Amino acid sequence: MSNIPSMKQEKISTLQALLTVTSTVYAVGIVSLPRTIAEKTQTPDVWQGLLLASLLGVGVVFINVKLCQRFPGKTFYELNPVIAGKFIGLLINIAFIVHCTMICSLVCRMMAEFLKGLALERTPLSMILLPFLLLIGYLTWGGLHAMVRLVELFFPLTFIVFLLLIILNINHFNLDNLRPVFHKGWHPIFESLKVIPFSTIGFESILILTNVMVNPQKAWKAGWIGYSIAMGLYLLMVTMVVGCMSVEEVSRLQWPVVSFAQQIEFPGSFLERFEILFIILWTIKIFMTAANYYFYMVAGISQLTQKWNRYICYLPLILIFSLSMYPQNFIEIGNFDKISGYFGIIIAAAVPSVLLVISMVLHRKGNPDEKE
């Protein structure tokens, strides 16, 4: 990555890449995803569409890895002009930066709404967002290693809380809430695919991470396992929430996973409010996802400007803050969610697929001997 000085010598392990992919995919969408799927399907068939989307996502990971492996040592931003020409490559790079900006802004806004609705009712959204964004900028200034080490540090904690959330609610699970299966055919399942693109986005991480890995030949392993873990957690959570509450109840709740956590009861009034622990650690999880996307965006800006400095790390925060504050209500946030999801599918899935086909047809690939 010779054109991004602070990342030039930074290499990450296969495990770090795997955890980064997982943390990018599995984030803020989980708190509302059961509701959006339940509203769309209106049937117990809430998990089939998510499973189908997961399989498609793994396929996209394979395509993205193969694309990057054809150009060893080059970033996604560097290989686009080689394949599509300077002008088209520049447009693709700008579009990818816009995609990361939109996702980061939406994640930050949903995080702020989440905290305001559950813990900080009298705090203005702007005051929740500002410290959050400044911390993201500070982390990005630390570079790639700082980002992946934070993921390594906090991922086990969030994973343990997730497992506790599932295990402690098993006694509330009722299999009848997930029956009958396929009683309205495939139509509700295909309908659910319309509302989950934002939650399944994250496979584009491997476009950035493949050629900064110590062993880029293991990128497919890191990508598909990382993505599968994230989508498996999504699938398990959605199934458990609906199985414990029913489709009708879940579709009426703004944050069904929080209500799911509030069901937990400990004997002797020990740790009465488990959802507080969930909210705290999930805020950290959302921070990691937003920071990952911000880093991908800043890496792109650095690539285009040939610079990496404090201004590159902090100035885009103004744009992120403005976009995060733009939606005026939950309806506009939902519309922003849909636009970001569909745009992300085009940029992170369709475009790399086309680029891979072009590179194969025109026999364009990088020189394995030129790593830097």
Side-chain angles (χ1 to χ4, degrees), residues 270-316:
F270 172 73
L271 196 61
E272 289 184 354
R273 301 195 64 185
F274 182 84
E275 74 273 12
I276 297 298
L277 180 61
F278 169 75
I279 291 170
I280 292 172
L281 288 176
W282 215 253
T283 301
I284 297 173
K285 182 69 186 66
I286 295 170
F287 172 80
M288 291 190 295
T289 299
N292 290 349
Y293 274 108
Y294 188 75
F295 182 85
Y296 304 154
M297 179 190 71
V298 169
I301 295 174
S302 176
Q303 178 69 58
L304 296 182
T305 60
Q306 301 295 299
K307 294 180 180 179
W308 180 280
N309 53 42
R310 196 174 297 273
Y311 300 104
I312 295 295
C313 292
Y314 285 102
L315 279 179

Side-chain angles (χ1 to χ4, degrees), residues 341-355:
Y342 289 131
F343 184 69
I345 295 296
I346 294 171
I347 297 302
V351 169
S353 300
V354 173
L355 290 175

Side-chain angles (χ1 to χ4, degrees), residues 1-30:
M1 303 183 68
S2 56
N3 292 327
I4 305 180
S6 78
M7 296 173 62
K8 185 176 180 180
Q9 303 300 328
E10 292 185 309
K11 296 293 182 181
I12 62 176
S13 67
T14 302
L15 178 62
Q16 288 174 327
L18 186 155
L19 294 179
T20 302
V21 171
T22 303
S23 69
T24 305
V25 179
Y26 190 62
V28 67
I30 190 58

Side-chain angles (χ1 to χ4, degrees), residues 314-336:
Y314 285 102
L315 279 179
L317 292 175
I318 300 173
L319 176 60
I320 297 293
F321 178 80
S322 301
L323 284 176
S324 297
M325 293 297 295
Y326 181 76
Q328 301 301 308
N329 49 54
F330 279 106
I331 295 177
E332 292 187 8
I333 294 175
N335 293 334
F336 192 13

Side-chain angles (χ1 to χ4, degrees), residues 10-292:
E10 292 185 309
K11 296 293 182 181
I12 62 176
S13 67
T14 302
L15 178 62
Q16 288 174 327
L18 186 155
L19 294 179
T20 302
V21 171
T22 303
S23 69
T24 305
V25 179
Y26 190 62
V28 67
I30 190 58
V31 295
S32 59
L33 183 61
R35 171 181 54 81
T36 55
I37 295 182
E39 285 179 339
K40 198 67 176 177
T41 61
Q42 292 297 310
T43 73
D45 297 322
V46 293
W47 57 271
Q48 293 95 326
L50 196 54
L51 178 61
L52 179 59
S54 303
L55 297 175
L56 294 173
V58 171
V60 174
V61 171
F62 177 80
I63 291 171
N64 291 351
V65 168
K66 289 302 179 183
L67 174 64
C68 292
Q69 288 180 339
R70 289 181 65 86
F71 298 87
K74 290 186 180 292
T75 69
F76 177 67
Y77 295 107
E78 289 174 324
L79 62 85
N80 288 328
V82 176
I83 299 174
K86 290 185 178 180
F87 179 71
I88 301 298
L90 176 63
L91 293 181
I92 294 173
N93 286 341
I94 293 174
F96 192 84
I97 292 172
V98 170
H99 159 65
C100 293
T101 303
M102 293 172 67
I103 297 295
C104 183
S105 301
L106 181 58
V107 168
C108 290
R109 175 58 183 270
M110 292 180 71
M111 179 279 306
E113 292 286 355
F114 180 63
L115 290 181
K116 183 176 177 65
L118 296 174
L120 304 171
E121 295 181 3
R122 298 183 180 181
T123 306
L125 283 173
S126 58
M127 292 300 101
I128 300 175
L129 280 168
L130 280 174
F132 192 80
L133 291 175
L134 289 174
L135 284 173
I136 289 175
Y138 181 73
L139 177 63
T140 303
W141 172 244
L144 180 63
H145 279 170
M147 184 183 76
V148 297
R149 285 172 182 168
L150 185 73
V151 171
E152 283 185 303
L153 177 64
F154 286 112
F155 180 82
L157 294 176
T158 57
F159 186 72
I160 290 171
V161 169
F162 173 89
L163 291 181
L164 285 175
L165 192 60
I166 297 298
I167 293 170
L168 295 174
N169 268 299
I170 287 180
N171 61 316
H172 296 115
F173 184 79
N174 184 357
L175 189 59
D176 289 336
N177 289 330
L178 296 173
R179 296 171 176 168
V181 179
F182 290 114
H183 77 289
K184 289 189 178 180
W186 285 93
H187 179 71
I189 296 170
F190 289 129
E191 284 293 308
S192 69
L193 292 177
K194 298 179 181 179
V195 297
I196 60 177
F198 170 71
S199 298
T200 58
I201 289 291
F203 38 66
E204 69 274 33
S205 299
I206 207 68
L207 291 170
I208 305 297
L209 300 176
T210 294
N211 287 324
V212 297
M213 293 175 61
V214 175
N215 298 305
Q217 66 272 17
K218 295 184 179 180
W220 162 237
K221 178 181 178 181
W224 84 261
I225 294 177
Y227 189 82
S228 298
I229 289 174
M231 295 309 297
L233 295 177
Y234 267 134
L235 189 60
L236 181 58
M237 179 62 77
V238 170
T239 303
M240 282 296 298
V241 169
V242 175
C244 290
M245 296 182 178
S246 80
V247 171
E248 293 76 14
E249 183 179 356
V250 169
S251 62
R252 294 194 298 267
L253 298 172
Q254 183 64 43
W255 310 111
V257 174
V258 176
S259 300
F260 181 67
Q262 290 172 340
Q263 291 186 146
I264 296 175
E265 297 177 357
F266 288 90
S269 299
F270 172 73
L271 196 61
E272 289 184 354
R273 301 195 64 185
F274 182 84
E275 74 273 12
I276 297 298
L277 180 61
F278 169 75
I279 291 170
I280 292 172
L281 288 176
W282 215 253
T283 301
I284 297 173
K285 182 69 186 66
I286 295 170
F287 172 80
M288 291 190 295
T289 299
N292 290 349

